[in-house]
């Protein structure tokens, strides 16, 4: 059973809690909300007031020191991160420079190859033109000697240069060549027969 003294202490505590403590907390909260809405910095003012109390002042100092240490650690971490990023940027810059150099070399190679291709195309065009001209000459000569008698051709051909004579003889068909050689002197016939056989080889 509870003694009379315990009942009295419990009653006093209850009375203090319900009559003084709870209404005081409620009033302070209400006043704080009203002042905040009115534009006053209630928390800042309360903080500065609490800092002036000796025991609480130590707690704030410890909190500020912890915040300062945390800030220093953050700054060091940021510096380290910045250093790593700068190194990465430098490496990438070196790689970009190397790639640009390589690209320039490749472009020069492509330009050189393009010029070579252009030169070869010109040469090929010239060869085609030369072949066309030669074929046209052969056709002209062939048609000229086609209409000429083999006896007349046998008289003219030995008086031409070897190249021209060969050009004429190679442009004619085998029957015409045989007729012309038959009408030539033996020496000329042997000479041109030899030239024709070596040209075919």
């Amino acid at each position: 059973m509870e003694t009379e003294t315990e009942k009295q202490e419990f009653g006093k505590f209850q009375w203090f809690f319900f009559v003084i403590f709870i209404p005081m907390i409620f009033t302070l909260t209400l006043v704080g909300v009203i002042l905040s809405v009115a534009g006053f910095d209630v928390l800042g003012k309360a903080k500065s007031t609490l800092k002036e109390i000796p025991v609480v002042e130590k707690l704030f100092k410890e909190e500020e020191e912890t915040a300062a240490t945390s800030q220093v650690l953050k700054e060091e971490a940021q510096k380290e991160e910045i250093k790593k990023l700068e190194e990465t940027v430098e490496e990438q810059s070196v790689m970009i420079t190397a790639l640009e150099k390589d690209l320039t070399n490749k472009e020069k190679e492509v330009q050189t190859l393009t010029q070579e291709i252009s030169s070869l195309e010109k040469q090929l065009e010239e060869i085609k033109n030369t072949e066309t001209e030669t074929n046209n000459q052969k056709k002209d000569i062939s048609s000229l000697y086609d209409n000429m008698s083999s006896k007349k051709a046998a008289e003219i051909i030995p008086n031409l240069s070897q190249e021209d004579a060969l050009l004429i003889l190679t442009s004619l068909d085998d029957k015409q060549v045989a007729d012309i050689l038959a009408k030539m002197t033996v020496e000329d016939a042997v000479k041109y027969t030899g030239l024709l056989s070596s040209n075919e080889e």
Side-chain angles (χ1 to χ4, degrees), residues 135-160:
N135 287 338
N136 289 339
Q137 282 179 350
K138 279 185 177 180
K139 282 178 186 174
D140 292 343
I141 291 166
S142 177
S143 63
L144 179 70
Y145 281 87
D146 270 344
N147 298 327
M148 192 183 290
S149 68
S150 54
K151 185 180 180 187
K152 197 76 175 161
E155 289 173 8
I156 294 170
I157 290 172
N159 296 316
L160 300 172

Side-chain angles (χ1 to χ4, degrees), residues 91-108:
E91 286 173 8
Q92 287 179 348
S93 177
V94 169
M95 281 177 65
I96 287 167
T97 306
L99 286 169
E100 283 175 348
K101 203 172 186 179
D102 192 39
L103 182 64
T104 306
N105 291 338
K106 295 286 183 200
E107 283 175 350
K108 283 179 182 175

Side-chain angles (χ1 to χ4, degrees), residues 121-131:
E121 283 175 347
K122 282 180 183 175
Q123 287 177 14
L124 187 64
E125 190 65 35
E126 286 172 9
I127 289 166
K128 281 182 180 175
N129 290 339
T130 307
E131 284 178 356

Side-chain angles (χ1 to χ4, degrees), residues 11-25:
K12 283 180 186 177
F13 178 73
Q14 275 184 333
W15 181 84
F16 172 77
F17 191 74
F18 287 111
V19 175
I20 295 172
F21 185 72
I22 290 178
M24 189 174 77
I25 295 295

Side-chain angles (χ1 to χ4, degrees), residues 4-197:
E4 194 65 33
T5 315
E6 285 175 345
K7 279 184 181 178
Q8 274 185 340
E9 284 178 11
F10 186 68
K12 283 180 186 177
F13 178 73
Q14 275 184 333
W15 181 84
F16 172 77
F17 191 74
F18 287 111
V19 175
I20 295 172
F21 185 72
I22 290 178
M24 189 174 77
I25 295 295
F26 179 75
T27 306
L28 286 173
T29 307
L30 188 62
V31 170
V33 168
I34 291 168
L35 288 174
S36 292
V37 170
F40 292 106
D41 184 17
V42 178
L43 289 174
K45 205 73 169 156
K47 219 174 188 181
S48 62
T49 307
L50 286 172
K51 278 185 182 177
E52 293 172 10
I53 301 168
V55 177
V56 180
E57 183 185 3
K58 285 183 183 178
L59 291 171
F60 276 105
K61 277 186 181 175
E62 285 176 8
E63 190 180 310
E64 284 173 3
E65 285 172 4
T66 308
T69 308
S70 174
Q71 185 64 28
V72 168
L73 289 171
K74 276 184 184 176
E75 285 175 4
E76 285 178 2
Q78 283 177 345
K79 283 179 184 176
E80 193 67 32
E81 189 68 27
I82 287 167
K83 192 177 177 183
K84 283 181 183 175
L85 287 169
E86 284 174 350
E87 286 173 0
T88 307
V89 167
E90 198 173 328
E91 286 173 8
Q92 287 179 348
S93 177
V94 169
M95 281 177 65
I96 287 167
T97 306
L99 286 169
E100 283 175 348
K101 203 172 186 179
D102 192 39
L103 182 64
T104 306
N105 291 338
K106 295 286 183 200
E107 283 175 350
K108 283 179 182 175
E109 283 178 26
V110 167
Q111 201 171 11
T112 306
L113 288 170
T114 306
Q115 287 173 350
E116 284 179 16
I117 288 167
S118 178
S119 174
L120 288 169
E121 283 175 347
K122 282 180 183 175
Q123 287 177 14
L124 187 64
E125 190 65 35
E126 286 172 9
I127 289 166
K128 281 182 180 175
N129 290 339
T130 307
E131 284 178 356
T132 306
E133 284 174 17
T134 306
N135 287 338
N136 289 339
Q137 282 179 350
K138 279 185 177 180
K139 282 178 186 174
D140 292 343
I141 291 166
S142 177
S143 63
L144 179 70
Y145 281 87
D146 270 344
N147 298 327
M148 192 183 290
S149 68
S150 54
K151 185 180 180 187
K152 197 76 175 161
E155 289 173 8
I156 294 170
I157 290 172
N159 296 316
L160 300 172
S161 67
Q162 279 188 9
E163 287 178 12
D164 291 342
L166 268 174
L167 183 66
I168 292 165
L169 291 171
T170 53
S171 66
L172 300 170
D173 62 47
D174 291 343
K175 186 178 182 300
Q176 285 176 310
V177 172
D179 285 346
I180 292 168
L181 289 174
K183 302 282 191 301
M184 285 184 182
T185 63
V186 177
E187 288 175 1
D188 288 337
V190 169
K191 176 184 169 184
Y192 289 112
T193 304
L195 286 171
L196 283 168
S197 63

